[in-house]
Amino acid sequence: MEPSGLNGHGSISSLLPDRAIWIGAEATDWREAIRRAGDALIASGAVTDAYTDEMIATVESLGPYIVIAPGIALAHSRPSPAVHRSGLSLVLLSNPIEFGHRTNDPVRLVIGLAAPDDAGHVDALASLAEFLMDDARRESLLEARDATTVRSLIGEFESAAAAAEAPA
């Protein structure tokens, strides 16, 4: 049985298959930007299209709180039957999009997050927050032009995290 959450740093790459990394995606507004992240989650097999609608509805009801850092939105919704398994998507937009956030707009990167339960949701948020905390890594991610660069950034983070957790 697959773990429900990220369960440690080494799992980010396993939850982000190549088919869920989209570079240069087109979007004309925030709904379409979230739809691209949802499409990438669907392509990975993590969710149904109903989950994309749930992510959009979440922003419609709660506002642009998903814009978590300058240029970055974390599209997600509550765990639901539309989630088949934990998954991530990473969508770099060809043009920045306004989400209506007063300090972190415009968005260039939309990360889609799907978790089948609350524990997985919290694990995923914690791991992603740590990954994005480093200013240089975050900027490199925003400037990535291919999936190989994205994979390299994630790999470096996971290797450093594993080394830090290894017994001396």
Side-chain angles (χ1 to χ4, degrees):
M1 183 166 151
E2 176 183 320
S4 63
L6 290 175
N7 296 327
H9 307 295
S11 297
I12 291 176
S13 59
S14 68
L15 292 178
L16 183 65
D18 287 342
R19 65 186 172 276
I21 300 173
W22 293 11
I23 309 293
E26 298 288 332
T28 57
D29 61 22
W30 67 264
R31 285 177 182 83
E32 205 171 283
I34 291 174
R35 190 153 302 282
R36 295 295 83 76
D39 290 345
L41 285 168
I42 293 165
S44 76
V47 303
T48 69
D49 61 343
Y51 188 72
T52 301
D53 295 335
E54 292 169 14
M55 292 191 297
I56 292 169
T58 296
V59 176
E60 288 173 341
S61 71
L62 300 176
Y65 79 99
I66 68 166
V67 183
I68 59 169
I72 301 174
L74 179 62
H76 63 284
S77 188
R78 304 278 308 149
S80 82
V83 178
H84 298 304
R85 59 179 170 74
S86 294
L88 295 171
S89 66
L90 190 146
V91 177
L92 279 161
L93 302 168
S94 60
N95 296 301
I97 297 292
E98 297 288 329
F99 274 62
H101 194 280
R102 64 177 195 255
T103 57
N104 291 333
D105 269 348
V107 169
R108 296 186 308 186
L109 170 64
V110 183
I111 299 170
L113 164 65
D117 56 42
D118 287 328
H121 199 83
V122 171
D123 287 347
L125 289 173
S127 195
L128 286 169
E130 189 172 344
F131 176 73
L132 295 170
M133 220 164 43
D134 181 90
D135 292 339
R137 181 172 44 239
R138 187 174 58 246
E139 193 55 38
S140 293
L141 186 61
L142 288 170
E143 297 301 323
R145 293 293 165 243
D146 54 50
T148 302
T149 302
V150 172
R151 287 259 171 246
S152 176
L153 290 166
I154 293 168
E156 290 168 11
F157 167 73
E158 291 176 343
S159 293
E165 292 173 7

